[in-house]
Each structure stands twice: as C-alpha cells, then as structure tokens.
Amino acid sequence: MLDDLYRKIVMDHAKYKRNFGTLNEEGVIHEIPYKNPTCGDVMVLYLREGDSGIEELSFEGEGCSISMASCSMMTELLKNHTVEECRYKRQAFERLIRNGELEDEVDLGDAESLQGVHKLRARHNCALMPWQAFDKWLKEQGHE
C-alpha cells in the first residue's frame, strides 16, 4: 500500500513538474547545466540566493520519471532554506538513495517517496541528478 502511494507521488511530480521553467525574478540567477553521466538525462538548475539562503529554484530538462520527479521535489524542498539546511537535506537524500536510510530528524518531504530507488542501483544517478547539479553550484560558489 505504501509503495503504491509512493509510486503515485513520484508519477505526479514527473507528470506535473513543480517549478519547471526559468526564473524571471530580479537579482542574480545562477544557471547550472547538468547531464546524468550514466543515461543522458539533462537538466538546467536555476537558483537565486539571497541574504537568508536559497530564495528561488526552478529547472528545465528532459529525462526519465525518476530524474524529473527528483528535480521537481528538490526545487520544492530547498526553496527558502539556508545553504547549510540545504546541504544537510542533500546529504540525507543521498543516504536515502544509496542505502535506503530514512532519517527521522530530516524532513525530505515528497522526496521520501524515492526511497525505493536504493534497490535499483542503475537508477541512483537518476534520482541524484538535481542534487549533483546543486553540488556543482555549491562548489562554484565556495559553499562546500
């Protein structure tokens, strides 16, 4: 029953992508292109950082249901959080995908529905694609 609910959440995000498109907001918009090295899924992450952290995120891209759902979920999850909070969520999400570990103290929202991906090793990079784009931005901005 829970697997069925999770599948529905993933498919909903894949079909009705949240925060899809470019950011038309004022201010400096970071544009981070990323290509999944294992399957060819592609995305561009758009991000605006403000004084208190990540203010806006959006994305454009093409790929499988898992990668597109993960992009949609990540942009919802990180918006209006500090960079440190985002890094913490990013680490928790990687543990979820790599090991299937769901941590009680970290709220991953709808992204928790991707927990079953840990059993599909070939799909790990699909789920991690937007998070790896976020890592690229962290490194470029000196937030590592």
Side-chain angles (χ1 to χ4, degrees):
M1 183 108 166
L2 191 56
D3 286 344
D4 194 37
L5 173 63
Y6 282 172
R7 202 173 358 266
K8 287 178 182 175
I9 292 169
V10 170
M11 294 312 295
D12 186 66
H13 273 275
K15 187 174 181 180
Y16 304 105
K17 299 171 191 78
R18 281 63 155 186
N19 306 302
F20 189 79
T22 61
L23 291 178
N24 294 323
E25 305 286 328
E26 291 184 20
V28 176
I29 306 295
H30 299 275
E31 194 173 306
I32 306 100
Y34 196 81
K35 181 177 180 179
N36 183 337
T38 57
C39 71
D41 291 358
V42 295
M43 69 162 304
V44 177
L45 177 65
Y46 300 98
L47 185 149
R48 187 180 72 229
E49 182 181 18
D51 293 336
S52 60
I54 308 299
E55 291 181 352
E56 290 287 332
L57 293 111
S58 69
F59 75 100
E60 293 182 311
E62 293 180 7
C64 69
S65 296
I66 292 172
S67 67
M68 292 296 100
S70 186
C71 289
S72 175
M73 293 170 185
M74 186 195 80
T75 58
E76 285 198 318
L77 186 62
L78 299 187
K79 192 181 294 187
N80 296 317
H81 285 84
T82 67
V83 171
E84 190 58 35
E85 290 168 331
C86 292
R87 287 175 50 188
Y88 192 65
K89 288 175 188 265
R90 190 264 178 264
Q91 293 164 353
F93 185 77
E94 178 135 9
R95 286 188 293 273
L96 176 75
I97 297 303
R98 301 272 186 216
N99 308 320
E101 297 173 11
L102 187 57
E103 301 171 13
D104 290 336
E105 65 275 3
V106 182
D107 179 13
L108 293 176
D110 285 353
E112 292 178 3
S113 66
L114 292 168
Q115 183 177 17
V117 172
H118 87 278
K119 297 174 188 172
L120 309 168
R121 189 176 176 124
R123 305 305 297 273
H124 286 191
N125 281 337
C126 298
L128 291 169
M129 183 175 74
W131 300 87
Q132 291 167 342
F134 183 71
D135 285 346
K136 185 178 172 184
W137 175 80
L138 287 171
K139 186 175 184 177
E140 289 173 357
Q141 299 303 309
H143 289 303
E144 295 188 288

